[in-house]
């Protein structure tokens, strides 16, 4: 076997593999002998078909089969011989030759990852703590999450809940499949399209109102996105919220059986601190990734970027399928997806190189503690832990996550880190 490699671009390679005619003939002869024992032809006893007849009938088929076998057996051997790491499937093209067998394989290779600039990269690390005011705000949020509704005999106002029946028409077509009945809308919750909830303010039970609002440009249904729609709404009832007091009954419902307010506050604060710890860790990881992407230049194989674009698009396609509609190309801004894909591929390659170059191994103790942390938010935490350890695939997902976290920690130890004090709400995305 002879192998030659041509560099057609920075990452593209064209590899030519040649196999001598003697090797091809030996393999063909062996295949002819096997066929002679298997082939049944009229006029010949089984296994007694002459070789010259077999060769005449099956020569082209056998040579084609041998060509496929040779590609399978020589491709990876040639890659190893030339120390090449393909970044995707090759495009293989046999070359017509009177003697021997020859083919070309065109593919992209993984890039060299320059890690010289990784030491001393600048990273801003956000720091935050749970203050008493944060705890008070969270308890108020818990009270609001447990609110009930009481009917009122007055016009609706902000934060009320209005039960309505409504229908919607856009460009002459009813898009609500007739009328939607007994639909509760909390004014100010922003669960309806912009402007809809505002039009309910001032309405009382029994009122009917027709109004026009415009769907957002990025609305999930492409047929309605950016278009005006006329709604006809009739009000069944108006209700105001009733927020519960933090009393013994409330605390018991929350799980504090002794009804002690201090125990309740301690539980809430512990949950907040656990969530804050995870949010700070995620924020630091994002900051490290941003710095890596900005400071380490990597040539990216188009094959890997295209594959990543398809992975990003997949959920959109699946969502459209669930809605029994065809995905519109206008919903898929490929240039935006491509930038996301390039970032993911680049960071994946950089982290992989850091792991390999520094022999970073996953810490099984950290895997265990990570799963235990995840399980704390469940009532039967031990069942959750066993669920992960009962399936190797699930466990490997956590191992990969931990290995990535360990790699980020390794980078942070060598980075120029500056701390920035922020509020609990800021890090939790509430401001």
């Amino acid at each position: 076997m002879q192998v030659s490699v041509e560099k057609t671009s920075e990452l593209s390679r064209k590899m030519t593999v040649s196999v001598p005619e003697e090797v091809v003939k030996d393999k063909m002869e062996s295949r002819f002998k096997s066929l002679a024992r298997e082939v049944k032809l009229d006029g010949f006893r089984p296994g007694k078909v002459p070789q010259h007849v077999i060769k005449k009938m099956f020569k082209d088929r056998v040579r084609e089969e041998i060509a496929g076998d040779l590609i399978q057996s020589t491709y990876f051997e040639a890659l190893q011989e030339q120390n090449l790491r393909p970044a995707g499937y090759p495009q293989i093209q046999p070359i017509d030759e009177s003697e021997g067998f020859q083919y070309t394989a065109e593919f992209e290779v993984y890039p060299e990852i320059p890690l010289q600039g990784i030491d001393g990269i600048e990273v801003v690390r956000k720091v935050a703590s749970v203050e008493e005011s944060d705890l008070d705000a969270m308890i108020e949020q818990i009270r609001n999450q447990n609110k009930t509704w009481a009917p009122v005999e007055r016009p609706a106002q902000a934060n009320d809940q209005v039960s309505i029946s409504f229908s919607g028409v856009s460009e002459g077509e009813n898009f609500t499949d007739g009328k939607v009945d007994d639909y509760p809308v909390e004014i100010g919750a922003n669960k309806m399209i912009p402007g809809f909830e505002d039009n309910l303010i001032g309405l009382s039970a029994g009122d009917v109102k027709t109004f026009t609002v415009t769907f957002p440009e990025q609305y999930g249904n492409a047929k309605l996105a950016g278009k005006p729609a006329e709604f006809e709404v009739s009000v069944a009832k108006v209700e105001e919220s009733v927020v519960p007091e933090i009393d013994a009954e409330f605390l018991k419902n929350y799980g504090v059986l002794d009804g002690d307010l201090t125990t309740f506050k301690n539980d809430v604060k512990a949950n907040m601190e656990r969530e804050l710890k995870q949010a700070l860790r995620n924020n630091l990881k994002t900051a490290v990734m941003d710095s890596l992407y900005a400071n380490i230049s990597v040539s990216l194989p188009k094959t890997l970027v295209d594959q990543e674009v398809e992975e990003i698009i997949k959920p959109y396609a699946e969502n459209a399928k669930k809605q029994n509609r065809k995905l519109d190309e206008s919903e898929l801004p490929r240039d935006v997806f491509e930038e996301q894909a390039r970032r993911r591929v680049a960071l994946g390659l950089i982290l992989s190189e850091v792991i390999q170059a520094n022999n970073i191994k996953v810490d099984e103790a950290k895997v265990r503690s990570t799963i235990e942390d995840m399980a704390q938010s469940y009532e039967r935490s031990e069942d959750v832990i066993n669920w992960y350890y009962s399936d190797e695939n699930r466990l490997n997902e956590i191992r990969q996550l931990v290995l990535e976290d360990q790699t980020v920690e390794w980078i942070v130890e060598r980075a120029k880190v500056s701390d920035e004090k922020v509020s609990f709400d800021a890090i939790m995305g509430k401001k």
Side-chain angles (χ1 to χ4, degrees):
M1 180 180 71
Q2 291 184 332
V3 182
S4 63
V5 179
E6 177 186 354
K7 183 178 179 180
T8 55
S9 73
E10 184 179 3
L11 297 179
S12 299
R13 301 292 184 269
K14 182 177 182 179
M15 183 172 72
T16 303
V17 179
S18 303
V19 180
E21 181 66 19
E22 309 87 74
V23 174
V24 177
K25 284 182 177 179
D26 285 347
K27 290 185 176 294
M28 289 183 69
E29 287 297 328
S30 178
R31 188 65 59 88
F32 286 139
K33 288 177 182 178
S34 296
L35 283 171
R37 292 191 295 268
E38 301 167 2
V39 169
K40 295 179 181 179
L41 292 178
D42 292 341
F44 298 97
R45 287 182 297 164
K48 298 297 182 179
V49 182
Q51 280 283 312
H52 71 276
V53 175
I54 294 291
K55 290 180 180 180
K56 183 177 180 181
M57 293 185 65
F58 298 104
K59 180 181 178 181
D60 290 342
R61 187 186 108 181
V62 167
R63 191 172 185 91
E64 185 176 329
E65 290 174 354
I66 294 300
D69 291 345
L70 285 170
I71 290 172
Q72 288 285 338
S73 63
T74 60
Y75 174 66
F76 292 104
E77 184 182 343
L79 290 176
Q80 190 171 14
E81 179 184 305
Q82 298 295 318
N83 196 27
L84 294 171
R85 294 175 59 222
Y89 293 110
Q91 291 184 328
I92 292 179
Q93 183 65 47
I95 300 173
D96 291 330
E97 291 287 326
S98 57
E99 291 291 320
F101 174 66
Q102 193 175 59
Y103 67 91
T104 61
E106 296 187 62
F107 50 85
E108 290 179 291
V109 295
Y110 282 96
E112 295 291 328
I113 310 294
L115 295 182
Q116 297 90 337
I118 203 168
D119 286 346
I121 62 171
E122 296 183 359
V123 175
V124 176
R125 176 170 54 198
K126 302 288 179 67
V127 293
S129 58
V130 179
E131 305 295 338
E132 196 65 28
S133 58
D134 300 319
L135 178 58
D136 292 341
M138 181 60 70
I139 290 175
E140 189 63 24
Q141 182 179 323
I142 293 171
R143 289 180 65 210
N144 278 294
Q145 288 171 347
N146 288 275
K147 67 188 174 187
T148 55
W149 299 99
V152 291
E153 299 296 329
R154 59 166 173 75
Q157 57 191 33
N159 303 316
D160 283 346
Q161 179 172 272
V162 183
S163 295
I164 62 173
S165 295
F166 70 95
S167 61
V169 175
S170 179
E171 296 184 335
E173 182 180 347
N174 181 291
F175 56 82
T176 53
D177 194 20
K179 181 181 285 188
V180 178
D181 290 317
D182 196 24
Y183 192 85
V185 178
E186 183 178 348
I187 300 174
N190 298 319
K191 293 184 178 179
M192 307 296 284
I193 62 174
F196 188 100
E197 293 169 19
D198 293 339
N199 274 282
L200 302 181
I201 293 176
L203 299 183
S204 301
D207 286 351
V208 176
K209 182 177 181 180
T210 300
F211 56 87
T212 299
V213 292
T214 301
F215 281 93
E217 291 291 341
Q218 302 302 319
Y219 191 66
N221 187 335
K223 289 179 66 177
L224 297 174
K227 294 178 181 177
E230 183 179 87
F231 290 92
E232 183 180 291
V233 172
S234 57
V235 179
K237 62 181 175 180
V238 177
E239 299 170 294
E240 66 179 4
S241 63
V242 179
V243 179
E245 294 299 323
I246 305 294
D247 53 19
E249 178 87 16
F250 179 89
L251 296 178
K252 286 179 182 178
N253 289 335
Y254 186 81
V256 182
L257 300 181
D258 61 5
D260 184 71
L261 181 60
T262 301
T263 302
F264 171 70
K265 286 188 172 183
N266 289 340
D267 286 350
V268 173
K269 187 172 184 179
N271 286 331
M272 292 174 69
E273 288 174 338
R274 185 164 52 250
E275 291 178 5
L276 177 61
K277 180 181 177 182
Q278 184 60 48
L280 288 170
R281 185 186 295 125
N282 291 340
N283 188 279
L284 178 59
K285 180 185 287 189
T286 299
V288 170
M289 298 300 185
D290 287 345
S291 190
L292 289 177
Y293 191 57
N295 289 283
I296 298 181
S297 179
V298 181
S299 297
L300 302 179
K302 184 176 182 300
T303 301
L304 297 184
V305 174
D306 289 343
Q307 288 173 359
E308 194 62 39
V309 168
E310 293 304 314
E311 284 299 309
I312 294 172
I313 289 174
K314 190 181 294 183
Y316 294 86
E318 291 174 351
N319 187 51
K321 187 177 180 180
K322 288 178 183 177
Q323 297 177 9
N324 294 316
R325 64 184 182 87
K326 187 177 180 180
L327 196 63
D328 195 295
E329 288 188 7
S330 63
E331 300 176 61
L332 304 175
R334 197 170 181 87
D335 55 338
V336 175
F337 291 145
E338 187 165 320
E339 180 52 37
Q340 293 178 25
R342 291 183 67 82
R343 175 186 168 90
R344 288 187 187 181
V345 172
L347 291 172
L349 292 173
I350 293 168
L351 290 179
S352 179
E353 185 67 18
V354 171
I355 290 168
Q356 289 185 354
N358 298 282
N359 197 30
I360 301 174
K361 303 292 185 183
V362 66
D363 185 335
E364 291 296 336
K366 289 186 177 181
V367 172
R368 179 78 187 189
S369 64
T370 298
I371 293 174
E372 288 176 349
D373 284 346
M374 294 167 63
Q376 281 186 30
S377 58
Y378 294 87
E379 186 176 345
R380 298 171 62 91
S381 58
E382 195 62 36
D383 289 348
V384 176
I385 294 170
N386 292 336
W387 182 77
Y388 275 105
Y389 276 94
S390 66
D391 186 287
E392 197 66 20
N393 289 330
R394 287 195 288 261
L395 193 56
N396 283 335
E397 288 179 6
I398 304 300
R399 286 191 178 116
Q400 188 60 41
L401 178 66
V402 169
L403 182 60
E404 189 173 283
D405 287 343
Q406 288 179 228
T407 308
V408 169
E409 290 170 6
W410 185 94
I411 294 169
V412 168
E413 288 173 1
R414 291 154 180 79
K416 293 179 181 178
V417 180
S418 57
D419 289 342
E420 178 186 353
K421 178 72 174 177
V422 296
S423 68
F424 174 84
D425 282 350
I427 203 68
M428 299 303 293
K430 296 181 180 180
K431 285 185 180 179

